[in-house]
Amino acid sequence: SDSGESDRALPNILITGTPGTGKTSLAEISAQATRLTHIDVSALVKENSLHSGYDEEFDTLVLDDDKLVDELEEKVSQGGKIVDFHSCEVFPERWFDLVLVLRTDNTILYDRLVERGYNQNKITENIDCEIFQVVLEEARESYPEEIVVELQSNSVEDMESNLSRIQQWSQLEGLALAH
Ligand code: ADP
Ligand code: MN
């Protein structure tokens, strides 16, 4: 394992969860409210072609794990990053000080994915992923249990309480904005 004390001056957060649970929304407002810098990994994968092609059946890009980790290593090692991605087992354990797993009720998630224009295969795949807690299990297997936190993300009230949790944490870690 490559866990243990890091050399980072500033800590990092991972926000993970099934697509549509609200990772990017929460990461964006959290970056505005703290000194954390948001890294939207899905956008980065597309922009920098960190994939090995397109999977038609699931209408998704096939991730190139090595390229992705190489691309992120320097930025994340600096610390102060809020990394947003729907998977987490690809990242080294040592990168993160806090791992937030967003959860959304099926019917709410379904509507969000329809609104996003996903095809039926992709909607079913993602709803199953949420029902079977795939990302939560993955996070619990990949990181120390004391840094993995499950957060509900069904409503605007949830988003606000998740934001305030990140703000409190960033205060403890010296990442709060001066007011
Ligand atoms: P992800 O990055 O996990 O795929 P997004 O942040 O893009 O999810 O959010 C998907 C959709 O759900 C967006 O339309 C967003 O406005 C909405 N949304 C996200 N989080 C919440 C929440 N806590 N309550 C209500 N709507 C939300
Ligand atoms: Mn997103």
Side-chain angles (χ1 to χ4, degrees), residues 8-106:
R8 283 189 298 279
L10 298 170
N12 294 313
I13 302 184
L14 174 65
I15 300 185
T16 189
T18 306
T21 51
K23 302 178 294 295
T24 302
S25 307
L26 181 61
E28 277 176 356
I29 57 169
S30 301
Q32 282 165 14
T34 64
R35 290 166 56 216
L36 292 159
T37 303
H38 177 203
I39 301 178
D40 183 339
V41 174
S42 294
L44 203 68
V45 167
K46 283 183 202 138
E47 283 161 20
N48 297 5
S49 298
L50 308 173
H51 55 80
S52 56
Y54 173 71
D55 179 328
E56 257 180 43
E57 187 187 352
F58 291 105
D59 181 25
T60 189
L61 294 171
V62 181
L63 197 64
D64 183 327
D65 294 7
D66 293 338
K67 268 195 205 168
L68 175 61
V69 171
D70 284 352
E71 174 78 26
L72 287 174
E73 177 71 61
E74 199 184 320
K75 284 183 195 125
V76 176
S77 298
Q78 293 163 353
K81 300 299 185 290
I82 186 159
V83 174
D84 144 22
F85 197 47
H86 58 259
S87 175
C88 59
E89 63 191 356
V90 35
F91 305 130
E93 187 180 344
R94 67 188 147 78
W95 277 6
F96 299 107
D97 304 281
L98 179 64
V99 175
L100 303 177
V101 184
L102 301 189
R103 304 300 312 280
T104 301
D105 292 348
N106 297 328

Side-chain angles (χ1 to χ4, degrees), residues 18-25 112 116 153-156 159:
T18 306
T21 51
K23 302 178 294 295
T24 302
S25 307
R112 288 185 195 166
R116 190 173 267 193
S153 180
N154 293 312
S155 62
V156 172
M159 202 190 295

